Amino acid sequence: MIPAYRVTEQTYRVDVSSTQTSGESVRQQLPFAPMLYGKTISSIVSYPGFNGFFGNQVNCYMTLKNRRNETLMYRFPLIETWSEQSTLAAYNSRRPRMFRLYDVDLSKSYIEVSDFGGTINIGQPFCSILFYTGISAELTAKTVKEL
Amino acid sequence: MQPIIERSYLTEVNLGTVSVGRTINFQYIPELQDVTVYGIQVYAGEDQQTSPNGAAVVPNAGLPSIAVTLVVGDDEIVTRQSCFDLRSANVAGFVRTYANQKINLVKSYITLVSVTGISNNQSILFNFIYRR
């Protein structure tokens, strides 16, 4: 087993707002984020939206693309990135996922919700996603020396 | 082992009409052809209630009823592994990792080893972690 490490350079938080009040199969485009454009994502953490709506990330899937419109992650369940403020932190036993997603373009990416399971006002964020740019790498004797 | 996720792809297998011994193949996914898979996860209804296609997801209690067989080339390298063990929440949050296998998805399949805890037309979600 090779342990891994992450180095954070910048963080950028994106609120994802709904254009529907409820329903199924909602697809919400992510906004253009200049700070993340072409960068490498090392970590992702997601939080609840307005007034704790969507108090977990159940039924929320994120598709992340790069600048060449290639799919880096297709329908990645956001529960994997859920912040530890939720009871659902038990899902991954507080083992944060690590990423090495190159050349990201957020404006080509989107969130899909298969079922809201409640009502939300238009324009209110139903979840909030924090992206970390930086390096994720396997910890080897060489990288230990560099660190 | 915690893999560093470079690419991932979520795929859904619908159980249709459940019966003991039934096998269901994965669909052809162009993105997963000739790629190196190094992590596989399964989600239960407790994690995702509804699949992206709108089907109910198999609950955790039904995962032991489903086994997955993974094929590399024509060889079955993983034979009837319980899907229960592929759900992170059941294995202390870990992601099951595999030794960089080029999985032949269309020849890979799931087997319903029993029908306990599963119902008709439920779906099981697999997340493949891979690199090109």
Side-chain angles (χ1 to χ4, degrees):
Chain A
M1 174 175 149
I2 302 170
Y5 70 98
R6 289 174 296 177
V7 176
T8 301
E9 290 171 355
Q10 291 179 310
T11 63
Y12 189 84
R13 186 162 170 163
V14 177
D15 285 334
V16 189
S17 299
S18 176
T19 52
Q20 291 181 222
T21 53
S22 64
E24 297 173 351
S25 302
V26 176
R27 180 169 152 158
Q28 202 64 48
Q29 207 73 23
L30 290 173
F32 176 65
M35 220 169 131
L36 298 176
Y37 188 68
K39 296 283 180 63
T40 303
I41 302 293
S42 63
S43 183
I44 302 170
V45 179
S46 56
Y47 301 92
F50 181 81
N51 202 20
F53 185 82
F54 231 68
N56 52 57
Q57 300 297 284
V58 169
N59 296 339
C60 227
Y61 304 87
M62 178 168 65
T63 296
L64 208 60
K65 297 198 173 196
N66 66 12
R67 288 193 294 182
R68 287 181 291 172
N69 209 26
E70 292 172 341
T71 302
L72 297 171
M73 295 205 297
Y74 181 68
R75 289 178 169 170
F76 188 78
L78 275 187
I79 191 176
E80 292 283 354
T81 64
W82 186 244
S83 82
E84 294 193 0
Q85 55 183 267
S86 162
T87 52
L88 278 181
Y91 167 75
N92 56 15
S93 300
R94 296 196 158 83
R95 296 184 202 283
R97 301 296 183 227
M98 281 173 283
F99 300 90
R100 194 189 289 145
L101 304 164
Y102 293 117
D103 201 21
V104 162
D105 184 353
L106 223 56
S107 63
K108 294 185 173 72
S109 309
Y110 54 87
I111 303 282
E112 285 170 290
V113 183
S114 55
D115 189 357
F116 263 123
T119 306
I120 187 171
N121 292 335
I122 291 173
Q124 283 181 345
F126 60 84
C127 78
S128 188
I129 307 168
L130 182 65
F131 293 93
Y132 292 69
T133 68
I135 302 162
S136 281
E138 288 79 11
L139 202 57
T140 61
K142 184 172 175 287
T143 52
V144 166
K145 202 176 281 181
E146 285 172 358
L147 285 171
Chain B
M1 174 69 179
Q2 284 286 77
I4 296 173
I5 299 168
E6 295 181 30
R7 287 174 189 255
S8 75
Y9 197 99
L10 188 86
T11 181
E12 173 179 350
V13 181
N14 193 277
L15 304 185
T17 305
V18 299
S19 60
V20 176
R22 183 165 181 233
T23 61
I24 306 158
N25 279 71
F26 286 90
Q27 287 183 328
Y28 172 66
I29 297 169
E31 283 89 345
L32 292 179
Q33 191 170 20
D34 289 328
V35 298
T36 304
V37 173
Y38 58 95
I40 301 176
Q41 290 175 280
V42 159
Y43 297 95
E46 285 82 351
D47 313 323
Q48 303 287 5
Q49 294 158 350
T50 312
S51 77
N53 292 333
V57 178
V58 173
N60 191 43
L63 291 181
S65 300
I66 304 172
V68 62
T69 299
L70 300 172
V71 175
V72 170
D74 288 324
D75 299 329
E76 294 185 352
I77 57 145
V78 171
T79 307
R80 290 197 292 277
Q81 179 174 18
S82 170
C83 287
F84 187 83
D85 286 347
L86 294 175
R87 179 179 175 236
S88 288
N90 293 341
V91 286
F94 285 105
V95 175
R96 288 286 183 202
T97 53
Y98 294 83
N100 297 329
Q101 300 290 355
K102 291 203 170 185
I103 291 172
N104 188 345
L105 209 59
V106 287
K107 289 192 176 176
S108 302
Y109 57 90
I110 62 168
T111 307
L112 307 184
V113 293
S114 83
V115 292
T116 306
I118 58 176
S119 305
N120 290 348
N121 298 320
Q122 286 180 333
S123 280
I124 181 166
L125 302 178
F126 287 86
N127 193 34
F128 290 92
I129 298 167
Y130 68 98
R131 68 173 67 91
R132 284 189 173 157

